[in-house]
Amino acid sequence: MHNFLDAFKFIGHNGQIRGEPRLPTLVHLTLETLKIAGIGIGLALVIAIPIGVWLGHIHRGSFVAINLGNIWRALPSLAVLAIGVAFLGIGLGNVELALIVLAVPPMITNAYVAIDGVDRDVVDAARGMGLTGWEILRQLELPLGIPLIFAGIRTAALFVVSTTTIAALTGYSGSLGDIINNETSYHLSGVLGAAICIAALALVVEFALAGVQRLLTPKGLKVSGREEVSALVPVVSELA
Amino acid sequence: MIALAAGGPVIPTFGGGGSSFTCERANRLFCSSWLSRNWGPVLWPALRQHIVLTLIAVTIGFVISTTLALIAYRRRWLERPVLIITSILYTIPSLALFELLEPVPGLGLSRTTAEVALVSYTLLIMFRNTLTGLREVPDEVRDAAAGMGMGPLRSLLRVELPLAVPAIIAGVRIATVTVISLATVASLIDNEGLGVPILTAISNEVFKTELIAAGALAVGLALTADGLLVIIQRLLTPWTRAA
């Protein structure tokens, strides 16, 4: 058990080991991990959400949107990173490309299902009241689709954080995964400390996104406190 | 913890060797000569280990999560605690979970450690899908079964579970491809599976052929497993095809 105590000491010392040369601090590596993951999620959002929302709005392309999600789940992240390294070499470009490849499909699938699944009667009523297609999208379909769109974003974000740390195994240095990949310098306590930080980071990201989702969800859609743990995996789109 | 390249020599040393290793020495994008030489000694054993790891993890995960789902189907209060715990397990990144389990007494750098972590990732998916599938059986169907004189157990086995099969298999599909994906990372812990050639290639001057071959095998295995499970589901639920 004292390994775990040492791990917390390691975290307390911000990743420095007494009597050893200065190492990158834990705070620095955590921020770097967040930066790499953030860029990946951001780029994926910009690519995926407009496509998914638009396909859902015009009710076209269900075959592509749904099957994209199915194929995505089958992509092992280490394999995607490895193939990327073969073509692009080790570097941030390869990591970000892998993150985008892994994050875009679940975002598209869920955004599509979210918008496509908005009650047609509601849309017809809005059209009857004279709303244009754009107004229907902005005022009706997007707010009603928020829970499912966010389910996709959260699934993707989870994958991205996890893959960012795995990137260390493929030689990319600059994330918390470095510590895990370098037991010689950091010893077991450091590796455990980094693992605890990675786990905490993933949970924090997950809860933060759940909070954002709560803020964006229209009041009428909020079911009292029951939905917050249930959106982790896009099972809804699976059963649809 | 980093058990790289323990599987023996994989690439003929860059720089050494005869003229038959020109492609490898130049580290070109893909050397088919390497593939034919190393399929038997390197890739096939890794693929076989990967399949075994996955089968064990999905089977154990299926037994645990189905049991929990059946209990939660009858005792509603159990659903929430199980969901919270399995969600947290699912959220922890694989690299971190493998490392956190390793110092636990009795686990260490072993296949058991890898399997414990892999199983923990299947629980949320299969538990929720099975429970949702059972809950979505229409009340009228349940009433009809009771009206035909079926007791709760017979109704569960003959009516409710069969109707939940599509949802259950959907869960098994997601769990299987998830395990195939994470088992590549598990190579760090148990030094087997398709992650081994990937990690070897990285530490061996980023040997491209091996990266592409092992990566493609992992992707191909996941897609094949997913496809097989779709076929199994069609066979198990002939009534859904009529629709």
Side-chain angles (χ1 to χ4, degrees):
Chain A
M1 231 48 240
H2 75 274
N3 279 326
F4 285 99
L5 286 178
D6 286 346
F8 281 105
K9 275 187 204 148
F10 175 81
I11 296 174
H13 293 142
N14 197 10
Q16 303 303 306
I17 298 168
R18 226 163 284 174
E20 298 263 345
R22 252 187 89 72
L23 297 160
T25 63
L26 265 183
V27 173
H28 172 76
L29 287 176
T30 307
L31 290 177
E32 280 299 301
T33 309
L34 268 178
K35 194 182 85 190
I36 300 166
I39 294 174
I41 296 170
L43 289 174
L45 275 175
V46 171
I47 299 169
I49 299 297
I51 296 177
V53 165
W54 183 249
L55 286 177
H57 181 66
I58 60 175
H59 304 289
R60 293 261 171 82
S62 71
F63 183 80
V64 175
I66 302 290
N67 282 294
L68 201 62
N70 284 338
I71 292 172
W72 158 79
R73 278 200 332 266
L75 290 180
S77 39
L78 186 57
V80 174
L81 282 164
I83 295 173
V85 165
F87 283 95
L88 298 174
I90 296 168
L92 187 60
N94 165 52
V95 176
E96 294 296 355
L97 184 68
L99 296 183
I100 292 170
V101 167
L102 292 167
V104 161
M107 287 184 183
I108 289 188
T109 304
N110 277 49
Y112 172 83
V113 173
I115 303 296
D116 182 56
V118 170
D119 193 339
R120 297 288 175 102
D121 293 344
V122 181
V123 175
D124 283 345
R127 194 162 284 134
M129 286 168 67
L131 268 69
T132 63
W134 178 247
E135 286 169 335
I136 290 174
L137 182 65
R138 282 266 336 262
Q139 298 175 19
L140 211 81
E141 293 176 325
L142 276 179
L144 288 174
I146 283 288
L148 258 183
I149 293 177
F150 253 83
I153 297 175
R154 285 161 70 176
T155 311
L158 201 61
F159 247 72
V160 164
V161 171
S162 173
T163 307
T164 305
T165 56
I166 292 174
L169 302 182
T170 60
Y172 180 74
S173 113
S175 77
L176 280 170
D178 288 8
I179 300 182
I180 289 184
N181 210 9
N182 187 1
E183 198 182 349
T184 349
S185 307
Y186 286 97
H187 313 295
L188 183 59
S189 55
V191 169
L192 283 177
I196 293 169
C197 288
I198 292 170
L201 184 66
L203 289 168
V204 167
V205 168
E206 168 61 20
F207 279 108
L209 285 175
V212 175
Q213 174 179 352
R214 190 160 284 245
L215 286 176
L216 289 177
T217 306
K219 264 190 205 127
L221 280 183
K222 281 181 189 162
V223 192
S224 51
R226 270 198 56 83
E227 88 294 9
E228 76 268 23
V229 283
S230 57
L232 270 172
V233 197
V235 178
V236 184
S237 59
E238 198 54 40
L239 292 172
Chain B
M1 204 149 317
I2 312 295
L4 290 177
V10 177
I11 314 172
T13 46
F14 288 27
S19 60
S20 57
F21 296 119
T22 326
C23 179
E24 282 93 331
R25 274 207 304 280
N27 198 4
R28 298 210 186 107
L29 199 55
F30 196 80
C31 308
S32 48
S33 56
W34 182 89
L35 189 67
S36 54
R37 261 197 302 268
N38 288 280
W39 173 259
V42 177
L43 292 174
W44 169 239
L47 179 63
R48 222 175 36 213
Q49 290 161 351
H50 211 94
I51 295 171
V52 172
L53 272 175
T54 306
L55 284 177
I56 296 175
V58 174
T59 309
I60 298 177
F62 182 79
V63 171
I64 297 177
S65 47
T66 307
T67 311
L68 285 172
L70 285 175
I71 301 173
Y73 185 46
R74 297 283 182 226
R75 309 250 179 279
R76 250 171 195 281
W77 60 265
L78 195 71
E79 179 182 353
R80 222 171 137 65
V82 173
L83 273 183
I84 290 174
I85 293 168
T86 52
S87 299
I88 291 174
L89 284 176
Y90 187 85
T91 308
I92 297 176
S94 48
L95 192 61
L97 188 57
F98 288 125
E99 298 301 339
L100 288 173
L101 285 172
E102 197 231 301
V104 173
L107 291 180
L109 292 170
S110 68
R111 182 185 269 191
T112 319
T113 313
E115 291 291 1
V116 170
L118 292 177
V119 166
S120 75
Y121 285 110
T122 66
L123 299 179
L124 171 69
I125 303 163
M126 293 201 277
F127 171 78
R128 214 174 53 185
N129 269 45
T130 305
L131 192 57
T132 311
L134 287 170
R135 292 255 166 87
E136 281 182 353
V137 174
D139 282 337
E140 302 87 71
V141 173
R142 240 174 256 132
D143 290 346
M148 287 170 69
M150 290 190 186
L153 184 65
R154 274 211 5 180
S155 165
L156 181 72
L157 292 178
R158 302 277 307 273
V159 177
E160 291 156 75
L161 272 177
L163 284 176
V165 163
I168 295 174
I169 302 260
V172 176
R173 274 176 71 190
I174 308 180
T176 306
V177 292
T178 306
V179 168
I180 291 175
S181 166
L182 297 174
T184 54
V185 182
S187 304
L188 269 184
I189 288 293
D190 62 357
N191 200 26
E192 58 178 349
L194 288 167
V196 176
I198 291 178
L199 298 177
T200 315
I202 292 286
S203 65
N204 218 333
E205 302 184 40
V206 193
F207 184 54
K208 291 176 187 166
T209 307
E210 194 172 16
L211 283 176
I212 294 177
L217 274 179
V219 173
L221 177 61
L223 290 174
T224 310
D226 201 41
L228 280 177
L229 283 165
V230 172
I231 295 172
I232 291 177
Q233 188 207 322
R234 297 243 166 102
L235 292 176
L236 282 178
T237 57
W239 62 89
T240 55
R241 263 174 298 173

